[in-house]
Amino acid sequence: RLRLHDGKLIKDRRYHLRTYPNCFVAKELTDWLIDHKEAPDRETGIRLMQKLMDHYIIHHVCDEHSDYKDAKLLYRFRKDDGTFPLSKDVKVFMRGQSLYEKLVSVEGSILKVREENSVKYQRTFLGCEMIDWLVQEGEAENRKEAVELGRALLEHGIIQHVCNRHHFFDSDILYQFWINFRRRRRLTELLNENSSRTLSESPDSPFCLRKLNPDPGNTSFISVQTNKEIKIVSAVRRSSITSLAGNSNPYFSTTPTLVFPPVAECNPKSVLKRPVTNEELLSPGAPYIKKTLTIVGDAVGWGFVVRGGRPCHIQAVDPGGPAAAAGMKVCQFVFSVNGMYVLHLDYQTISSLIMTGPRTLVMEVMEAVE
């Protein structure tokens, strides 16, 4: 998706007097897949794109076609219109990828080749080392939360004990990242994702995530806390997991102006614990403080989702995006956008204001005082 943005295959296109933002022409994309050796022929390219449609990754811009047609039809990545259904599994995967990228890019990383029982293992670390690092880097508030995060990563097959005998513990037991996130992957792997032979031959593929005794109640590690007060940030440092997605809880991002799929799929329940009125926000002595955030967008957005109306609230924030870096948090209320008072508007109108405004976005938000 990011390569298509860079190659200008994804762009705003006009059809029948209407402009469709961030979309691509199916026939052009099939050509691109073949030219870039992502698919050996058109039939395979069509099957690959259909796989993405089946998994709610792309869709027809008007949802008039449920299948992928190799024709001059407009399709769009759901991350580019805020309709990507973000499940807990995807959130955990993205958190694992983010941690991996951070670990391998620092000097003196705890990830090393180590030996146990005369067998060498790649991308290994000691459980206690990982706990120390998570707390030190602000990825977890305390050791208990860090253990919960490690257990979630293990239950989803992202890390494992080198001999696959232990759960994750704060000890000197040796673990490894089971997925090599930096291995270049081919789209064609998606067509073999249910093959047991493929799983055994490619143990580091992200397309074969497994869950081991997941605990549905343990979601505390998903919450996003900004550790630094950064008011103006350029978005050039965004990684491959960031973009214009949109959905539940504190994971994932941006401008949901076109929402076509079923509500149950793509519009999760509000993150607010209870409804809040404008009168309550503005009443004297109300427990809310106003903050001004300056967010510099990149090629694919600003990294947050607005939902609700009168007032609107921040439903989700991409932890690696510009909005999070500027200090935006889930459950903040949108007071103004580029100097315009918006407490009386719904999220579609506010999203439109943001989409049609300048790349540098100035927002006033109201945040509950804890």
Side-chain angles (χ1 to χ4, degrees):
R1 179 185 149 277
L2 294 177
R3 290 167 67 197
L4 294 176
H5 271 287
D6 291 340
K8 307 301 181 186
L9 261 77
I10 295 179
K11 60 185 179 182
D12 296 355
R13 298 174 187 271
R14 194 163 179 80
Y15 182 72
H16 284 182
L17 303 180
R18 179 176 175 181
T19 299
Y20 296 90
N22 294 316
C23 59
F24 59 86
V25 178
K27 190 174 185 303
E28 291 180 5
L29 180 54
T30 310
D31 293 337
W32 185 92
L33 290 173
I34 296 172
D35 292 343
H36 289 76
K37 298 183 172 19
E38 291 290 351
D41 50 52
R42 301 194 81 81
E43 181 186 356
T44 304
I46 294 168
R47 288 174 60 206
L48 286 168
M49 291 303 102
Q50 185 61 51
K51 196 80 168 176
L52 297 187
M53 287 196 75
D54 294 342
H55 285 77
Y56 296 98
I57 293 171
I58 64 173
H59 68 125
H60 181 255
V61 291
C62 296
D63 284 337
E64 292 176 355
H65 302 279
S66 59
D67 53 352
Y68 181 82
K69 298 182 184 295
D70 186 21
K72 291 184 178 180
L73 294 174
L74 300 180
Y75 291 82
R76 183 188 288 121
F77 279 83
R78 290 189 179 277
K79 285 185 179 179
D80 284 341
D81 64 12
T83 64
F84 181 58
L86 201 62
S87 66
K88 179 185 174 183
D89 293 349
V90 177
K91 293 173 188 175
V92 175
F93 175 81
M94 285 172 15
R95 186 72 187 274
Q97 182 182 27
S98 174
L99 292 173
Y100 183 87
E101 290 292 341
K102 194 171 180 179
L103 280 165
V104 298
S105 62
V106 298
E107 291 186 15
S109 172
I110 63 173
L111 296 189
K112 299 174 183 175
V113 177
R114 291 182 172 91
E115 188 174 305
E116 185 167 293
N117 296 328
S118 301
V119 179
K120 286 187 177 180
Y121 297 95
Q122 304 286 332
R123 307 183 294 274
T124 68
F125 56 89
L126 298 177
C128 54
E129 282 183 336
M130 177 63 81
I131 299 296
D132 291 341
W133 183 84
L134 289 170
V135 175
Q136 176 184 329
E137 294 297 315
E139 295 288 347
E141 291 189 359
N142 49 55
R143 300 188 78 83
K144 180 175 180 293
E145 186 176 307
V147 170
E148 291 173 355
L149 171 54
R151 288 186 162 239
L153 295 175
L154 187 143
E155 288 165 0
H156 285 75
I158 296 169
I159 65 173
Q160 66 175 15
H161 175 247
V162 291
C163 298
N164 208 19
R165 293 176 182 169
H166 299 286
H167 211 312
F168 184 77
F169 295 102
D170 184 359
S171 67
D172 58 359
I173 297 176
L174 191 61
Y175 300 89
Q176 69 178 153
F177 270 86
W178 195 62
I179 298 175
N180 177 5
F181 285 100
R182 290 202 167 181
R183 180 175 70 82
R184 175 72 196 283
R185 282 169 255 285
R186 313 301 302 186
L187 268 176
T188 49
E189 288 184 54
L190 283 170
L191 300 178
N192 301 315
E193 65 176 359
N194 294 321
S195 164
S196 58
R197 180 178 60 83
T198 302
L199 298 189
S200 62
E201 289 179 1
S202 302
D204 62 351
S205 171
F207 302 125
C208 56
L209 284 180
R210 73 203 191 287
K211 286 193 286 187
L212 308 172
N213 304 319
D215 177 7
N218 177 20
T219 58
S220 62
F221 68 90
I222 290 174
S223 63
V224 179
Q225 300 293 334
T226 51
N227 301 313
K228 299 177 182 178
E229 289 294 321
I230 306 175
K231 294 304 176 187
I232 301 181
V233 173
S234 171
V236 295
R237 61 178 189 79
R238 300 185 74 183
S239 71
S240 60
I241 65 164
T242 65
S243 60
L244 277 133
N247 259 11
S248 71
N249 286 6
Y251 260 83
F252 242 75
S253 62
T254 335
T255 52
T257 55
L258 303 172
V259 183
F260 297 115
V263 173
E265 292 284 359
C266 301
N267 289 321
K269 65 180 181 179
S270 171
V271 293
L272 299 178
K273 294 181 180 179
R274 62 177 182 82
V276 175
T277 64
N278 285 339
E279 290 74 18
E280 185 177 349
L281 277 178
L282 301 174
S283 63
Y288 296 94
I289 57 173
K290 189 186 296 183
K291 293 184 176 180
T292 301
L293 309 177
T294 302
I295 309 165
V296 183
D298 64 5
V300 290
W302 295 268
F304 65 97
V305 175
V306 177
R307 284 290 185 268
R310 305 175 185 87
C312 287
H313 65 275
I314 304 301
Q315 172 77 5
V317 179
D318 177 351
M328 181 172 284
K329 299 178 183 177
V330 169
C331 295
Q332 290 173 335
F333 295 94
V334 184
F335 183 87
S336 72
V337 174
N338 295 325
M340 179 178 176
Y341 175 78
V342 296
L343 279 182
H344 60 297
L345 301 178
D346 57 25
Y347 80 86
Q348 291 97 335
T349 307
I350 291 179
S351 296
S352 179
L353 283 173
I354 294 170
M355 286 288 287
T356 57
R359 178 181 174 185
T360 300
L361 175 65
V362 179
M363 291 180 62
E364 287 183 298
V365 296
M366 299 188 73
E367 179 180 310
V369 178
E370 297 182 358

